[in-house]
Amino acid sequence: MASWRERLAFAPLETAERGEEIALRLRHSIELGVLEDGVQLPSESELAARMRVSTMTLRTALAELRHLGLLETRRGKGGGSFVKANTGDIAKAQRDTLAAYSLEDLRDIREYRAFLAGSAATAAAGRSQQVSIGRLASMAAMIETAQTPAEMTRADSRFHTQLAATSGSVLFTRQEIAMQAEVGALVWANASDRRSAAAKEHGMIVDAIRAGDTNRARDLAEDHVRQDMNRLIDLRMSMEPPLPGSPPGKEGIDSAVSAVESFAVSFEGTVAASIRTVEEAAQAALDRSKSGRLNELESVYDVARQNLKAMPALYGTGFVADPSYFGKPGSIWCYLPSGPESPQRFEFELGQEFHDYSTASWWPTDDDDDKIHASHAYIDALGTNEHVVTFSKRVTRVGEMAGIAAVDVLISRLQDEFAPFLRSLPPNTCIVDQNEVILATNTASFVGGTLSRSHRAERRIALPPLPWSLCLDVSTGTNTADAAS
């Protein structure tokens, strides 16, 4: 009869991405200590049958684990695939996994995990008189006695999974388990000094639930998760070196500030160049147009594709039609879902009639001039569903607006572009837009956040021609995690 470890690690897969899922499932089982060092895996044919995948798919997954140093193959009698749960190999694999995440990815995971934990704690506190929280309380301090990263991960994961279960929501519980599988081991890969603090925070969450204090339970659970994830984000940031030759002290800070200012000017120039060529292409196509229909502007696609290939900082570019000029909404737009080698034509998924962009932050108002304008950061729910800033300029014909030439830039790309300069600046430094939304930073708690009135910057430097500011050494009277909420 299979042990609980085997039932957990080798359970049949339910998703279509089976090759990837096998490697992830087995890898997480090794990192969490479910599959211990030296354990022999079943034969390939037996394991493939148990996980309900083909032998070829399984072999691909096992090859990936061998490449990561988490499995070894022994030949001859008694040979097979054996778990190699060496701490160094696991740590390297975890660093490689963390490096594959963007800060935008980690920020989204942080906020989603905080939402799950906060919602579960709220629900648990609301029903604390009807259910027993003894099991949750017993798990709260378990992490303090854990000795290895695997033990810390298991103790923390058990607490958060039980917290979700105490809420009474099956969906919360399933989602929490999925989140623990994805990042639970990463959170504790380099955080052994957090054991006592985590145990104390677990205990405070339990006390708030026991008291039926829903607001405090939510706040404590969200803060606890954000602290853990912010440490992970800081670790991800530290994996990238600062610019070479950056000297220490004030001279180095001034040099980095100058580099940020220069890059802002260069970046705006790239945006302006793309918008200018799109506008020229749209005007030329309208000059040739016989019926004034949007489909006669097809040549704009070629210009948009060329711009995306030549300007990798851009995510999307093209022409967006004014419905009052063309009679209906529409666009000639290309974007990069996979990378600069694959510009794709954007199509409205629900049909153009469902997309009213007249109230979007990037759409010109009646009194707008013909300059290039930058929107604030936003989620593009009308299009690509990405976190972007849009730069736009009116395209006019005989005094009438025909549409806009525009460019989308991913917030994650801005973080990547500015990060090398920010790493040479003091902690709690960030770049904000005209609404104080943080576009790039060198501090985890600020990723994806907004500066409030309680935040004070030691220096604030405008970054013309962009409507952005560089804020150095930001301090606040409240927890810095508030910047991300």
Side-chain angles (χ1 to χ4, degrees):
M1 182 177 178
S3 68
W4 69 269
R5 296 176 185 274
E6 292 178 337
R7 290 197 301 272
L8 179 61
F10 308 145
L13 300 179
E14 298 177 359
T15 65
E17 300 294 330
R18 296 193 164 189
E20 243 178 74
E21 175 119 0
I22 292 170
L24 283 174
R25 169 84 66 77
L26 295 178
R27 178 174 174 171
H28 290 148
S29 296
I30 294 170
E31 291 174 346
L32 292 170
V34 174
L35 294 177
E36 297 175 320
D37 187 47
V39 167
Q40 181 177 7
L41 299 187
S43 67
E44 288 184 353
S45 58
E46 180 186 348
L47 187 53
R50 289 170 68 170
M51 301 188 82
R52 297 178 187 170
V53 296
S54 70
T55 304
M56 186 62 69
T57 300
L58 177 68
R59 284 176 182 166
T60 301
L62 296 182
E64 172 66 15
L65 294 176
R66 291 189 189 96
H67 174 72
L68 293 171
L70 301 180
L71 279 185
E72 64 177 351
T73 300
R74 300 174 189 171
R75 305 295 180 187
K77 187 175 181 180
S81 295
F82 293 82
V83 173
K84 189 181 176 186
N86 177 278
T87 302
D89 291 326
I90 290 178
K92 180 181 182 303
Q94 289 172 338
R95 285 194 299 272
D96 291 344
T97 297
L98 181 58
Y101 283 103
S102 69
L103 294 185
E104 184 86 354
D105 293 335
L106 294 173
R107 178 257 183 186
D108 279 349
I109 292 172
R110 179 188 67 195
E111 296 308 305
Y112 186 55
R113 284 197 64 210
F115 168 78
L116 280 177
S119 298
T122 301
R127 61 200 300 264
S128 61
Q129 304 305 312
Q130 287 76 42
V131 298
S132 170
I133 61 171
R135 181 174 173 79
L136 181 64
S138 69
M139 293 181 176
M142 288 176 59
I143 193 167
E144 194 162 15
T145 58
Q147 298 300 313
T148 66
E151 290 175 355
M152 296 173 205
T153 301
R154 285 198 297 273
D156 193 52
S157 295
R158 289 181 68 185
F159 173 78
H160 283 280
T161 302
Q162 185 60 37
L163 174 61
T166 305
S167 75
S169 170
V170 173
L171 183 58
F172 279 173
T173 307
R174 287 175 177 169
Q175 293 302 309
E176 184 59 48
I177 290 172
M179 285 291 95
Q180 290 298 327
E182 182 166 1
V183 297
L186 296 179
V187 167
W188 289 97
N190 193 35
S192 58
D193 58 336
R194 270 268 305 157
R195 286 178 300 177
S196 295
K200 181 178 179 180
E201 290 162 16
H202 288 175
M204 292 170 65
I205 294 169
V206 172
D207 289 343
I209 291 172
R210 183 182 285 116
D213 190 337
T214 55
N215 290 335
R216 180 168 171 75
R218 174 185 287 278
D219 290 345
L220 289 170
E222 289 182 350
D223 288 347
H224 168 67
V225 167
R226 285 198 176 102
Q227 285 188 58
D228 281 345
M229 288 302 300
N230 284 340
R231 289 172 65 92
L232 192 59
I233 294 172
D234 274 330
L235 180 59
R236 175 64 183 85
M237 286 180 167
S238 71
M239 296 171 75
E240 302 292 339
L243 288 174
S246 299
K250 184 178 184 300
E251 184 180 345
I253 291 175
D254 290 343
S255 175
V257 168
S258 295
V260 170
E261 292 174 318
S262 296
F263 181 78
V265 172
S266 173
F267 180 80
E268 195 277 341
T270 298
V271 167
S274 179
I275 288 178
R276 184 170 57 251
T277 56
V278 167
E279 180 185 20
E280 291 170 353
Q283 292 281 17
L286 287 169
D287 287 340
R288 297 189 301 268
S289 172
K290 296 179 180 179
S291 63
R293 294 179 180 175
L294 184 61
N295 60 12
E296 293 180 307
L297 275 66
E298 290 287 309
S299 58
V300 174
Y301 278 119
D302 294 331
V303 173
R305 289 191 188 95
Q306 291 169 10
N307 287 349
L308 293 180
K309 288 182 177 180
M311 307 173 188
L314 310 184
Y315 177 67
T317 188
F319 175 82
V320 182
D322 187 337
S324 64
Y325 186 91
F326 287 94
K328 63 179 181 179
S331 67
I332 307 292
W333 194 265
C334 283
Y335 73 120
L336 295 171
S338 304
E341 73 286 349
S342 61
Q344 292 186 17
R345 183 169 173 161
F346 176 76
E347 302 289 351
F348 288 105
E349 292 183 2
L350 297 177
Q352 295 174 349
E353 65 274 12
F354 287 91
H355 296 266
D356 176 15
Y357 38 72
S358 61
T359 58
S361 61
W362 44 265
W363 190 254
T365 57
D366 292 340
D367 57 351
D368 265 344
D369 53 31
D370 289 330
K371 296 180 180 179
I372 294 175
H373 294 271
S375 75
H376 56 75
Y378 70 101
I379 302 293
D380 183 19
L382 294 179
T384 58
N385 297 319
E386 296 286 354
H387 197 197
V388 299
V389 170
T390 299
F391 296 84
S392 59
K393 180 182 183 299
R394 296 199 305 175
V395 177
T396 58
R397 300 284 293 176
V398 195
E400 182 181 3
M401 191 172 94
I404 63 168
V407 160
D408 278 348
V409 179
L410 292 174
I411 300 299
S412 58
R413 184 71 192 208
L414 292 176
Q415 173 68 45
D416 291 343
E417 295 285 351
F418 280 108
F421 312 113
L422 297 179
R423 279 193 287 274
S424 298
L425 292 171
N428 299 338
T429 291
C430 58
I431 293 171
V432 298
D433 70 7
Q434 59 270 46
N435 284 5
E436 299 294 284
V437 175
I438 296 171
L439 304 175
T441 181
N442 61 6
T443 303
S445 60
F446 284 177
V447 173
T450 303
L451 295 190
S452 66
R453 292 180 180 178
S454 65
H455 293 93
R456 295 288 182 270
E458 186 71 22
R459 291 173 65 189
R460 188 180 181 101
I461 302 164
L463 297 175
L466 299 169
W468 303 344
S469 298
L470 172 64
C471 301
L472 279 74
D473 196 11
V474 177
S475 61
T476 175
T478 57
N479 193 311
T480 54
D482 293 344
S485 60

